[in-house]
């Protein structure tokens, strides 16, 4: 979660037995600083820092990233949103040359993309992202419950043995257990960690997350959210899921994009930065459909532990029903 997930969140999740990630945008000195903090605080495991770093490949030049990777060698390098799917192959090649012990994980949202990227980039894992996910994802996708097994079947049929992680809509241990039952080897959670105290965010953003209920009604996927500040920079495959707010409602009522942008620019100048709860703000509040299950601020470690314990209990209970 670029801009949200820094060293504190990543270290807390890893220390609680998960794998924490730092989300990078385009500020590489800041990424290096975060990795430096991890280096000071956590011991390396098999030569790698026990955290991952996520890169949005469409905004970055690989030359800016590789020196940081070879210096810090994180356990996982996560790639998302290449301009073209085939760009991942070159990224993976460069990452492996820079830091051979690190794994390359790529997040994708369709069967065809998973097949293409598995063949060309040979990632160590694919994160299959369903349409319930918060933030950006494939505009044309499906819920994880059908997407993950279809990706698994297609890869197996093509003789490609790639571990899968599931993302999109899992906000507690019940969702995590379901994802494991679908064949995922791990569960990726974003929206739930927007409630973590260690996540970097404006307090009004967190308030809006904790207040939101019924993600199927109060969040929506759209490209509009990437057009609020100017032309959309995202590759064409992507849109994003945000809480429904005034900019979206005005768009539905037929307001021009110029006027929506003007009102948005004014809204982000005030104290709440346009993040007012209950859909009253004008800024995008990236969140998945699971947002209705996210009700209180908690330490990241507590979230990780609670989700794991709940998943274990749910799987045991489910087994007893068979
Ligand atoms: C606030 C927010 C920011 C995100 N930023 C990124 C990002 O920078 N890179 C990325 O690969 N995915 C990003 N995602 C998507 C996550 O990787 C993941 O797919 C998603 O959070 C999983 O679904 P969930 O939100 O329902 O847990 C973001 C998600 C959220 C909620």
């Amino acid at each position: 979660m670029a801009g949200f997930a820094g060293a504190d969140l990543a270290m807390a999740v890893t220390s609680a037995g998960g794998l924490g990630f730092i989300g990078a945008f385009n500020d590489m000195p800041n990424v290096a600083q975060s990795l430096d903090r991890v280096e000071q605080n956590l011991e390396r495991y098999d030569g790698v820092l026990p955290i991952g770093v996520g890169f949005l490949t469409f905004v970055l030049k690989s030359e800016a990233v590789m020196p940081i990777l070879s210096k810090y060698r994180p356990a996982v390098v996560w790639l998302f949103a290449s301009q073209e799917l085939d760009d991942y192959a070159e990224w993976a090649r460069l990452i492996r040359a820079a830091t051979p012990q690190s794994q390359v994980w790529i997040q994708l949202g369709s069967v065809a993309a998973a097949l293409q990227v598995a063949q060309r980039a040979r990632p160590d894992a694919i994160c299959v992202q369903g349409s319930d996910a918060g933030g950006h994802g494939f505009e044309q996708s499906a819920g994880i419950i059908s997407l993950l097994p279809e990706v698994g079947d297609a890869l197996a049929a093509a003789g490609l043995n790639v571990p899968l992680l599931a993302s999109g809509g899992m906000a507690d241990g019940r969702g995590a257990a379901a994802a494991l039952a679908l064949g995922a080897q791990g569960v990726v959670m974003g929206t739930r960690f927007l409630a973590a105290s260690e996540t970097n965010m404006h307090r009004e953003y967190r308030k809006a997350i904790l207040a939101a209920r019924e993600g199927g009604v109060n969040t929506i996927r759209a490209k509009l959210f990437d057009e609020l500040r100017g032309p959309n920079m995202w590759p064409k495959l992507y849109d994003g899921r945000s809480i429904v707010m005034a900019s979206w409602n005005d768009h539905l009522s037929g307001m021009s994009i110029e006027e929506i942008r003007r009102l948005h620019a004014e809204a982000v100048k005030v104290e709440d930065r346009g993040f007012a709860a209950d859909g009253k703000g004008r800024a995008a509040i990236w969140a998945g459909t699971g947002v209705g299950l996210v009700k209180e601020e908690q330490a990241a470690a507590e979230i990780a532990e609670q989700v794991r314990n709940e998943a274990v209990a749910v799987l045991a209970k489910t087994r007893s029903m068979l």
Side-chain angles (χ1 to χ4, degrees):
M1 298 194 291
F4 295 80
D8 288 341
L9 180 64
M11 291 193 291
V13 172
T14 287
S15 302
L19 178 63
F21 276 81
I22 291 170
F25 192 58
N26 56 3
D27 183 351
M28 289 307 112
N30 188 268
V31 174
Q33 221 175 8
S34 301
L35 286 164
D36 220 54
R37 258 171 56 65
V38 177
E39 174 105 80
Q40 316 277 321
N41 287 287
L42 297 184
E43 273 188 28
R44 286 186 176 270
Y45 180 84
D46 274 355
V48 292
L49 275 187
I51 51 126
V53 189
F55 294 99
L56 294 168
T57 41
F58 80 99
V59 291
L60 290 165
K61 296 232 179 307
S62 53
E63 307 88 85
V65 175
M66 296 313 145
I68 293 176
L69 293 182
S70 46
K71 177 164 181 201
Y72 292 102
R73 291 172 284 127
V76 172
V77 183
W78 167 288
L79 305 178
F80 184 56
S82 275
Q83 206 56 259
E84 303 294 336
L85 290 173
D86 282 349
D87 296 348
Y88 290 122
E90 180 63 1
W91 275 87
R93 191 185 67 74
L94 292 167
I95 292 163
R96 290 188 169 120
T99 170
Q101 305 102 311
S102 303
Q103 291 204 359
V104 178
W105 295 5
I106 302 178
Q107 180 167 245
L108 300 159
S110 77
V111 178
L115 274 172
Q116 183 175 331
V117 172
Q119 270 155 352
R120 311 251 169 97
R122 301 272 161 187
D124 297 289
I126 289 178
C127 175
V128 180
Q129 187 193 39
S131 55
D132 290 299
H136 290 85
F138 278 34
E139 184 179 26
Q140 291 184 306
S141 189
I144 197 69
I145 206 145
S146 56
L147 183 60
L148 191 121
E150 192 177 347
V151 168
D153 288 351
L155 291 172
L160 296 159
N161 181 17
V162 191
L164 300 180
L165 306 158
S167 75
M170 280 72 72
D172 61 19
R174 292 168 295 183
L180 298 178
L182 292 170
Q185 313 226 345
V187 183
V188 174
M189 288 181 158
T191 298
R192 177 68 190 267
F193 282 98
L194 293 175
S197 313
E198 294 88 342
T199 305
N200 299 323
M201 63 210 298
H202 193 281
R203 66 178 184 287
E204 296 298 324
Y205 194 115
R206 193 184 333 259
K207 263 200 217 163
I209 294 291
L210 299 179
R213 293 288 170 272
E214 182 115 57
V217 175
N218 294 311
T219 72
I220 188 93
R221 300 198 73 90
K223 285 185 186 280
L224 174 79
F225 306 124
D226 294 316
E227 288 164 8
L228 296 174
R229 292 170 188 277
N232 185 355
M233 311 297 283
W234 279 76
K236 56 184 180 306
L237 271 180
Y238 296 85
D239 66 1
R241 185 179 286 283
S242 158
I243 288 182
V244 169
M245 40 41 154
S247 300
W248 174 252
N249 291 329
D250 287 343
H251 167 73
L252 285 187
S253 321
M255 186 183 280
S256 70
I257 186 67
E258 291 75 21
E259 183 61 4
I260 291 172
R261 278 183 190 150
R262 192 185 67 72
L263 293 169
H264 175 267
E266 278 174 18
V268 298
K269 282 187 214 143
V270 304
E271 210 193 322
D272 71 11
R273 300 282 186 273
F275 295 135
D278 302 322
K280 297 195 178 80
R282 293 201 155 267
I285 301 179
W286 309 112
T289 60
V291 71
L293 296 165
V294 182
K295 295 180 182 143
E296 54 169 343
E297 183 175 338
Q298 288 174 289
E302 196 181 311
I303 296 175
E305 280 154 22
Q306 203 173 311
V307 168
R308 186 185 316 110
N309 292 339
E310 196 183 5
V312 168
V314 165
L315 288 168
K317 185 174 159 205
T318 309
R319 188 152 206 271
S320 74
M321 289 163 67
L322 297 175

